[in-house]
Amino acid sequence: MVYAVVGAGMIGSAAARHLAEAGHDVILIGPSEPDDKSKHTGAFASHYDAGRITRSLATDPFWAQASLASIARYRQIEADSGISFYNDVGCLLAGPKDAKHLQDVGRVAADLRIDAKYLSQKDLQDYFPFFAFSEGDIGYYEAKNAGTINPRALVAAQIKLAVAHGVKLLRAEAQALHETASGLVIETTSGDIEADQVLIATGGFAPNLIEGLNLRVYARTVALFEVSDAEAQRLQNCPSMIYLDKDGNDPYLLSPIRYPDGKFYLKLGGDPDDRNLAPHEMTEWFQSGGNPDVGAHLEAQMRVRMPDLQIESVTTNACVTTFTDTGRPMIKHHSDRISLAVAGCGAGAKCSDELGRLGAETLLGHALPAWARQ
């Protein structure tokens, strides 16, 4: 039995590793990161970055459970692959005490016994003097098993381990799928591949292969705030933070990270509006640097939240988030031979290892744990 995983990003690479470690014959299909995004005309992945937020705190117990499972495996993946990707700097979720989403965070934390400390407004200011908070704000702080991950490095670690366990890696783009009487044919830019079963893990590009998927793909702009080495050192105890306001907005901030250009950046995301991308618009969006108006909005947010931050420069970048109607990923059988593991719903990076494992289990026809069933 040959299992193909289409999509060599965060979820697909994890699924391939889990399948291979279980002893299965696996081929992982997906292109490498383009050298120049502005000139690349094919499919993109959403892990082309050095920073994603990670934590177990969540408004939905599904995401909390998936994150707990993934985070528990981070250090083993690092040790086995020799690739570091996890920065355990902690994570804070804060906002007005009567904000519904923040109340949901407290409920989920209590129900799952997540190791998070409740902080009053005074506690917030005492613990984190580099942030500015509003009257009546509270927070939940995960000091351990939370912080940031490097998504590029995590994917590299997953692929290295997958290949070490026998996965065949094909750096090509899948263009079409055809079910036959005996299996599947996957048309790729490097020729046709035959398989018995396939898992589609191509994120927002999944509708290019599977028609009729009920997915919403939103354009997202993130801002990167360059700081000096001295400023990064001053902020060495700064956790990642998500601010949950009364209107349901949830801008997220990553503590200083050294990027491939050798400079330190703080990253802020959180579009005020949802722009739904059609399949034919996605490549052009990835080629862009994002929406400058959203960039200006994020810069204003940063200057309110961290008024003392010494900013050297501000740049923006474009990415996407893929959502379902349930707010949970689409991990299911699409047909007898095709399964899906798509839609991180803006929360998938930190728990991609568990989402990949659930996708692998679905592909194999195994029952998922009760908390993961929809």
Side-chain angles (χ1 to χ4, degrees):
M1 181 80 75
V2 176
Y3 295 95
V5 178
V6 177
M10 300 193 75
I11 294 175
S13 63
R17 177 179 72 82
H18 284 285
L19 286 166
E21 289 182 351
H24 299 288
D25 189 359
V26 184
I27 181 167
L28 176 62
I29 303 168
S32 301
E33 179 176 350
D35 293 330
D36 185 347
K37 286 177 61 175
S38 66
K39 297 179 180 178
H40 179 65
T41 58
F44 286 83
S46 289
H47 67 271
Y48 306 153
D49 190 14
R52 290 285 191 279
I53 201 165
T54 187
R55 85 281 180 188
S56 299
L57 290 172
T59 58
D60 181 340
F62 171 89
W63 293 108
Q65 295 269 38
S67 298
L68 285 165
S70 289
I71 293 168
R73 295 193 286 265
Y74 282 176
R75 293 303 188 199
Q76 192 63 55
I77 295 171
E78 286 185 323
D80 291 346
S81 67
I83 298 174
S84 298
F85 59 83
Y86 176 36
N87 192 10
D88 191 3
V89 295
C91 184
L92 169 69
L93 271 66
K97 61 183 178 182
D98 54 351
K100 180 185 181 302
H101 285 173
L102 196 58
Q103 294 174 352
D104 291 340
V105 168
R107 174 181 51 79
V108 171
D111 289 346
L112 297 180
R113 299 183 180 180
I114 295 173
D115 184 12
K117 183 178 179 63
Y118 171 87
L119 300 177
S120 67
Q121 182 187 352
K122 182 178 185 306
D123 293 330
L124 288 172
Q125 215 64 71
D126 289 344
Y127 273 59
F128 311 114
F130 28 72
F131 293 140
F133 296 99
S134 302
E135 184 73 26
D137 280 353
I138 62 166
Y140 294 92
Y141 175 47
E142 279 186 281
K144 298 180 179 180
N145 299 318
T148 65
I149 55 173
N150 181 326
R152 279 194 184 106
L154 175 53
V155 170
Q158 298 279 29
I159 290 177
K160 181 177 180 179
L161 292 176
V163 170
H165 282 86
V167 169
K168 302 175 186 67
L169 176 63
L170 177 62
R171 285 304 194 182
E173 185 175 328
Q175 298 178 310
L177 289 176
H178 304 287
E179 293 191 65
T180 67
S182 58
L184 291 152
V185 174
I186 305 164
E187 292 182 16
T188 83
T189 50
S190 293
D192 291 354
I193 300 298
E194 295 184 356
D196 296 289
Q197 294 276 335
V198 65
L199 178 70
I200 304 299
T202 53
F205 284 86
N208 292 351
L209 294 174
I210 305 291
E211 294 182 356
L213 295 182
N214 188 19
L215 297 175
R216 301 187 307 278
V217 182
Y218 291 141
R220 292 291 189 239
T221 299
V222 298
L224 295 174
F225 298 84
E226 180 193 350
V227 298
S228 66
D229 287 17
E231 185 73 341
Q233 179 66 24
R234 180 179 75 85
L235 299 171
Q236 62 179 327
N237 295 320
C238 176
S240 297
M241 183 177 73
I242 302 174
Y243 191 85
L244 302 168
D245 69 20
K246 292 181 181 179
D247 296 326
N249 298 310
D250 55 354
Y252 61 91
L253 170 67
L254 275 67
S255 52
I257 295 170
R258 192 182 293 278
Y259 270 67
D261 64 2
K263 299 177 181 179
F264 280 102
Y265 296 88
L266 285 81
K267 177 180 171 182
L268 182 64
D271 283 51
D273 299 306
D274 290 327
R275 176 193 164 192
N276 204 338
L277 292 172
H280 69 275
E281 297 176 306
M282 288 183 58
T283 294
E284 183 178 357
W285 173 251
F286 270 103
Q287 291 170 338
S288 77
N291 184 331
D293 292 336
V294 174
H297 167 81
L298 293 173
E299 182 174 352
Q301 291 252 323
M302 176 64 89
R303 295 188 184 279
V304 168
R305 195 59 55 202
M306 298 186 75
D308 297 329
L309 185 66
Q310 299 299 307
I311 301 170
E312 303 280 319
S313 69
V314 183
T315 56
T316 61
N317 204 353
C319 61
V320 304
T321 53
T322 306
F323 285 86
T324 63
D325 288 340
T326 65
R328 296 182 177 185
M330 186 178 291
I331 302 177
K332 66 176 187 177
H333 291 291
H334 178 71
S335 69
D336 288 343
R337 296 187 181 277
I338 301 172
S339 298
L340 302 167
V342 296
C345 301
K350 65 185 183 302
C351 52
S352 57
D353 186 65
E354 180 65 4
L355 300 185
R357 190 191 71 82
L358 295 175
E361 292 293 288
T362 299
L363 187 67
L364 295 171
H366 298 165
L368 301 185
W371 60 264
R373 297 173 200 155
Q374 299 188 38

